[in-house]
Amino acid sequence: DINAGMLNLALFLTYSMVMAIQDDACDEHNTQIVSGKFPVSNACGQYGLSYQDIRCTAVDKDKECPLDPNQSFSAVTRALYDRAPQPFKCAPKSQYPVTGYWDDRRIEENHQTAFSNELGRTDVEGCCWWGRGVLREVTRGRCSFGKMNYYIGKRAAEDGRPSLYPNVDFCEFPEAICASEFSNELRWVSGMFQWVMDVQPYNRNG
């Protein structure tokens, strides 16, 4: 009914405010300190998560994005405070054989020696799956972007199904959410998509 619909929308907007709107960002930030520094390889995952390993269950296996070690691009937003780490990046080892850490004194990334994230990564190859959009702590990993591509992106169009963004390949370029001609709306659409797919169907009784 309409009251349930309004409550659902209010919950979505409230959650979005907490997760993203308050700091006016689209991309996930480098926030985890390891041994006193911010590893550049936090792009691969923070707080015990490996984003490229957030994959779909067997039922949706065909929808997840493939892992492409040659992808190379950077995020477009970062934290707003002075001397905040640079935006996340992903790139093959041929471009960055090893990655270091953010040097907040020199205000630059230091790649002279390898510096690992919590899970031991010292590179950013295949690490293009950080969070994006108003629900960036949810919209991350190969499954999330793969489902978006399957239902509303280029994969849907290629399969002959209706697509909101037939020319946007969320697997090839997940940063489209933050850095494309549709980014202003995709920041919200990606969040609402995740909300509809994962939050609304939740049943606490299983």
Side-chain angles (χ1 to χ4, degrees), residues 104-117:
D104 60 357
R105 288 175 297 180
R106 301 173 66 91
I107 317 181
E108 64 182 12
E109 290 179 351
N110 183 331
H111 297 293
Q112 294 180 4
T113 57
F115 191 86
S116 67
N117 71 354

Side-chain angles (χ1 to χ4, degrees), residues 90-178:
C90 61
K93 291 180 183 177
S94 58
Q95 187 173 346
Y96 288 97
V98 297
T99 54
Y101 61 90
W102 171 249
D103 188 331
D104 60 357
R105 288 175 297 180
R106 301 173 66 91
I107 317 181
E108 64 182 12
E109 290 179 351
N110 183 331
H111 297 293
Q112 294 180 4
T113 57
F115 191 86
S116 67
N117 71 354
E118 180 184 350
L119 296 182
R121 289 294 298 264
T122 58
D123 65 283
V124 289
E125 185 171 277
C127 295
C128 307
W129 311 106
W130 60 81
R132 299 172 173 92
V134 293
L135 299 188
R136 62 176 183 262
E137 291 187 15
V138 179
T139 308
R140 58 188 179 191
R142 291 160 58 193
C143 186
S144 291
F145 293 107
K147 284 184 175 180
M148 285 187 62
N149 205 42
Y150 182 87
Y151 288 110
I152 64 173
K154 190 173 183 179
R155 171 85 181 274
E158 290 177 341
D159 289 349
R161 292 177 283 108
S163 173
L164 289 174
Y165 304 96
N167 298 315
V168 178
D169 191 328
F170 293 102
C171 288
E172 184 176 292
F173 188 54
E175 190 62 19
I177 292 175
C178 303

Side-chain angles (χ1 to χ4, degrees), residues 10-25 29 133-137 188 195:
L11 289 171
F12 169 71
L13 292 173
T14 301
Y15 196 47
S16 298
M17 174 63 187
V18 171
M19 295 186 72
I21 300 174
Q22 62 184 355
D23 57 9
D24 192 29
H29 300 154
V134 293
L135 299 188
R136 62 176 183 262
E137 291 187 15
W188 288 96
W195 187 267

